[in-house]
């Protein structure tokens, strides 16, 4: 038998050997770093990685080209500069002394070559310290002699300055300036321009390639959200790469299986609920005709009505998505007709309604959703507390607020309470029900492309808000915070 310390040592050793090491750890670190990049979509992360790879490849190839091209170019430029210096020296040696000044003026005007005698007080600026200049100056010095000097500025004149002597034995130097244009790497600039154009074309191709993967994934995610909302998604195209087509085919098969399962469940639930209501009706009739005391009859009839109400919730939930067509609906008129029977029962319902507010909706299902909210408010807050209903419109949507003075729902439990067969045992433990009310409301409002917000009400109670778009828009969800108390104390 192993002792507990021995088991801990074995577990620690197993964890140590299971940890990624070497290239595996580096790969996971790189993967985590990529996942943390600001663009969180697969399209832009992959595109940026490909763009980075292509850019690095272009930079690497440009450096390789530059490394092998610089010696060749340095030899060509050195040959050109040496030829200019030798021709200038020859012209000065062979020219008459009286015509040297005229020769220097012609060289400066026609060739851009300036020649000045060197002086000890010359102010010189050295050439840039890089590999290209080192190769060029070494080659020129090899051909003209070790005494050759270079500068990028002589006094106030910028250019490529080379010193030379008329005779190797002379101690007096002359400066000759070559125009900077003759040293510019025009071919390299053109090569970089074409390389940049090729990079843009490659990036465009990379974007098109990555989009072939991201578009099917976005469609798959959209269909998955439709399935999560309880609806049947449209059929995904089973085309494209083999892996994407296989995923789309598997998803379509899953969606079809879920739709058939949901239809079978709704059919079974409707049949069972219908069969239960018949004996309940006989049971209620028998209780009312039993001759028992009125208090006992009232209690048993209330239990039968609660069972019938729960069966009705099961039927509503089993129907799935409403099949009723959308039509123009006067929302304040629907709420007035809905609250009137409650007022006749003595329920204190205060309604703040506009004169008219028309929106596209399903009349029967929306009436059922509002009635469920009112029934929940009565059930949890009691008939002795007023219920406030307010209809308003703002920012392209209509809102229906139903506020009660019940125990409310903690913010941490709001999302859980949207799920079917969920009840808040601590806050509302004295109530009955199957926990389907909010789930039915959520499904109805979602079918209207709206949302249900639940929040606590200042002063105690629950504030439920139905958001309905005045025109078609995408579905959204959010949780409301505390609302100002619009009820008089």
């Amino acid at each position: 038998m192993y002792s507990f310390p021995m088991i801990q040592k074995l577990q620690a050793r197993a964890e140590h050997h299971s940890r990624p090491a070497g290239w595996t750890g580096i790969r996971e670190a790189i993967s985590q770093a990529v996942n943390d990049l600001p663009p969180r979509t697969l399209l832009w992360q992959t595109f940026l990685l490909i763009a980075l790879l292509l850019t690095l490849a272009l930079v690497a190839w440009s450096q390789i080209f530059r490394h092998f091209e610089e010696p060749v170019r340095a030899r060509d430029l050195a040959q050109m500069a040496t030829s200019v210096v030798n021709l200038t020296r020859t012209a000065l040696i062979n020219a008459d002394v009286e015509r040297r000044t005229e020769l220097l003026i012609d060289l400066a005007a026609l060739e851009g070559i300036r020649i000045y005698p060197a002086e000890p007080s010359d102010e010189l600026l050295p050439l840039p310290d890089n590999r290209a200049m080192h190769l060029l100056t070494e080659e020129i010095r090899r051909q003209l002699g070790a005494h050759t000097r270079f500068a990028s500025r002589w006094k106030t004149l910028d250019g490529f300055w080379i010193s030379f002597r008329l005779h190797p034995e002379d101690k007096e130097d002359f400066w000759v300036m070559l125009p900077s244009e003759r040293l510019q790497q025009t071919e390299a600039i053109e090569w970089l321009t074409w390389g940049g154009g090729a990079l843009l074309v490659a990036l465009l191709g990379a974007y098109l390639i990555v989009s072939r993967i991201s578009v099917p994934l976005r469609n798959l995610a959209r269909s998955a959200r439709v399935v999560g909302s309880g609806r049947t998604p449209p059929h995904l195209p089973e085309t494209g790469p083999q892996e994407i087509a296989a995923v789309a085919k598997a998803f379509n098969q899953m969606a079809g299986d879920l739709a058939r399962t949901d239809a079978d469940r709704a059919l079974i639930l409707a049949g069972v609920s219908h069969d239960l209501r018949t004996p309940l009706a006989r049971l209620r009739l028998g209780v009312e005709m039993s001759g028992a005391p009125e208090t006992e009859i009232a209690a048993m009839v209330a239990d039968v009505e609660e069972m019938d109400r729960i069966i009705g919730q099961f039927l509503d939930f089993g129907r799935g998505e409403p099949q009723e067509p959308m039509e123009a609906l006067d929302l304040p008129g629907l709420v007035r007709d809905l609250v009137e029977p409650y007022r006749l029962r003595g329920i204190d319902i205060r309604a703040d309604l506009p004169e008219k507010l028309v929106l596209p909706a399903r009349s029967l299902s929306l009436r059922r959703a509002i009635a469920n909210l009112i029934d929940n408010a009565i059930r949890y807050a009691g008939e002795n507390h007023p219920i406030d209903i307010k209809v308003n419109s703002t920012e392209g949507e209509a809102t229906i607020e139903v506020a009660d003075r019940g125990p409310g729902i903690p913010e941490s439990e709001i999302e859980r309470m949207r799920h079917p067969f969920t009840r808040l045992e601590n806050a509302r433990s004295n109530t009955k029900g199957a926990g389907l009310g909010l789930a039915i409301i959520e499904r109805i409002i979602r079918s209207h492309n709206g949302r249900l917000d639940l929040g606590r009400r200042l002063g105690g109670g629950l504030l439920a808000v139905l958001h309905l778009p005045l025109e078609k828009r995408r579905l959204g969800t959010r949780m409301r915070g505390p609302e100002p108390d619009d009820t008089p104390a």
Side-chain angles (χ1 to χ4, degrees):
M1 297 294 292
Y2 290 105
S3 62
F4 183 72
M6 179 62 70
I7 293 176
Q8 288 182 327
K9 291 181 180 180
L10 292 175
Q11 290 177 345
R13 184 176 300 176
E15 292 176 356
H16 173 74
H17 288 291
S18 63
R19 293 172 185 167
W23 287 108
T24 304
I26 296 174
R27 184 171 62 250
E28 291 188 358
I30 294 175
S31 177
Q32 183 62 36
V34 171
N35 291 333
D36 293 338
L37 291 176
R40 304 305 299 271
T41 62
L42 175 65
L43 170 64
W44 286 108
Q45 283 190 356
T46 307
F47 176 74
L48 290 180
L49 286 176
I50 295 177
L52 178 61
L53 178 62
L54 292 176
T55 304
L56 292 177
L58 179 62
V59 172
W61 278 110
S62 64
Q63 293 300 319
I64 294 173
F65 173 81
R66 180 180 178 183
H67 179 80
F68 290 100
E69 186 265 350
E70 281 180 348
V72 178
R73 181 169 181 79
R75 287 193 297 268
D76 294 340
L77 292 176
Q79 184 63 42
M80 182 268 296
T82 303
S83 299
V84 170
V85 171
N86 290 332
L87 290 174
T88 302
R89 180 194 294 119
T90 303
L92 290 175
I93 292 175
N94 296 326
D96 295 336
V97 177
E98 296 81 6
R99 301 194 60 184
R100 282 186 177 178
T101 303
E102 183 180 352
L103 176 62
L104 295 177
I105 294 175
D106 290 341
L107 288 175
L110 299 177
E111 300 294 336
I113 300 174
R114 299 185 180 186
I115 303 174
Y116 298 95
E119 298 177 358
S121 60
D122 288 343
E123 296 179 0
L124 304 176
L125 182 66
L127 293 173
D129 186 13
N130 54 49
R131 180 173 180 266
M133 281 300 174
H134 288 168
L135 293 173
L136 177 60
T137 55
E138 288 176 2
E139 183 65 21
I140 295 176
R141 189 175 282 115
R142 186 184 64 83
Q143 298 185 29
L144 295 180
H147 58 80
T148 306
R149 295 180 295 164
F150 304 92
S152 63
R153 178 184 297 172
W154 179 80
K155 293 186 177 180
T156 59
L157 299 177
D158 292 330
F160 185 71
W161 294 89
I162 307 174
S163 70
F164 68 95
R165 296 175 181 178
L166 294 179
H167 296 283
E169 294 81 8
D170 291 348
K171 299 298 182 181
E172 183 181 0
D173 289 342
F174 289 87
W175 286 104
V176 58
M177 187 198 76
L178 301 180
S180 302
E181 294 79 8
R182 297 191 180 185
L183 301 178
Q184 290 180 353
Q185 301 182 4
T186 54
E187 295 83 358
I189 295 176
E190 293 178 359
W191 187 88
L192 290 176
T193 302
W194 283 104
L199 176 62
L200 292 178
V201 173
L203 291 179
L204 178 60
Y207 182 84
L208 295 177
I209 292 173
V210 174
S211 64
R212 291 193 65 203
I213 301 175
S214 64
V215 170
L217 291 179
R218 283 200 300 268
N219 294 336
L220 182 63
R222 190 180 301 113
S223 298
R225 284 193 293 268
V226 173
V227 172
S229 65
R231 293 174 290 173
T232 302
H235 186 80
L236 292 177
E238 300 175 3
T239 57
Q242 182 177 359
E243 293 80 1
I244 299 296
V247 172
K249 183 177 181 180
F251 185 87
N252 290 332
Q253 183 177 356
M254 179 200 69
D257 294 341
L258 289 177
R260 287 188 293 272
T261 302
D262 190 65
D264 295 341
R265 176 189 56 81
L267 181 61
I268 294 174
L269 184 60
V272 172
S273 301
H274 180 269
D275 292 341
L276 286 176
R277 277 185 162 172
T278 301
L280 280 179
R282 292 198 299 265
L283 180 60
R284 177 172 181 172
L285 181 61
V287 168
E288 291 177 345
M289 298 179 63
S290 64
E294 291 294 332
T295 56
E296 295 181 5
I297 291 177
M300 288 187 287
V301 168
D303 290 338
V304 172
E305 290 178 347
E306 179 66 18
M307 294 172 64
D308 186 71
R309 187 187 64 81
I310 293 175
I311 292 174
Q313 284 190 340
F314 274 103
L315 283 174
D316 291 339
F317 188 75
R319 291 190 182 100
E321 288 294 324
Q323 302 299 321
E324 181 185 1
M326 300 281 283
E327 59 182 3
L329 176 66
D330 181 18
L331 185 58
L334 181 142
V335 175
R336 290 190 190 97
D337 295 340
L338 185 61
V339 301
E340 189 61 29
Y342 291 97
R343 287 174 173 170
L344 294 177
R345 289 167 44 191
I347 306 298
D348 185 5
I349 297 181
R350 297 179 290 191
D352 181 6
L353 308 175
E355 287 296 327
K356 191 173 184 180
L357 179 59
V358 179
L359 76 165
R362 299 179 175 90
S363 176
L364 294 179
S365 59
L366 185 59
R367 178 187 293 269
R368 186 181 305 117
I370 300 174
N372 279 353
L373 286 179
I374 297 176
D375 291 338
N376 285 343
I378 296 173
R379 187 177 305 110
Y380 297 129
E383 299 184 0
N384 298 325
H385 295 87
I387 298 172
D388 296 285
I389 301 179
K390 183 178 181 181
V391 175
N392 198 2
S393 63
T394 176
E395 297 181 358
E397 67 177 12
T399 58
I400 308 169
E401 300 182 4
V402 179
D404 62 46
R405 287 299 180 186
I409 301 177
E411 291 186 4
S412 60
E413 298 288 332
I414 287 180
E415 290 303 320
R416 187 177 69 88
M417 293 302 297
R418 299 175 186 270
H419 299 162
F421 307 105
T422 303
R423 296 178 64 249
L424 194 64
E425 298 297 335
N426 294 333
R428 305 186 174 196
S429 57
N430 294 327
T431 62
K432 301 178 181 179
L436 289 173
L438 292 180
I440 295 172
I441 298 171
E442 180 86 13
R443 175 178 290 180
I444 292 174
I445 297 305
R446 196 164 51 220
S447 70
H448 286 78
N449 289 328
R451 69 179 187 273
L452 166 65
D453 289 346
L454 300 172
R456 54 187 177 87
R457 186 186 186 190
L458 289 181
L462 177 67
L463 177 63
V465 184
L466 303 179
H467 294 262
L468 298 172
L470 296 177
E471 57 185 11
K472 186 178 181 180
R473 68 178 186 182
R474 294 185 62 183
L475 177 64
T477 59
R478 79 178 173 203
M479 185 181 70
R480 291 173 62 93
E483 292 291 337
D485 189 2
D486 56 0
T487 305

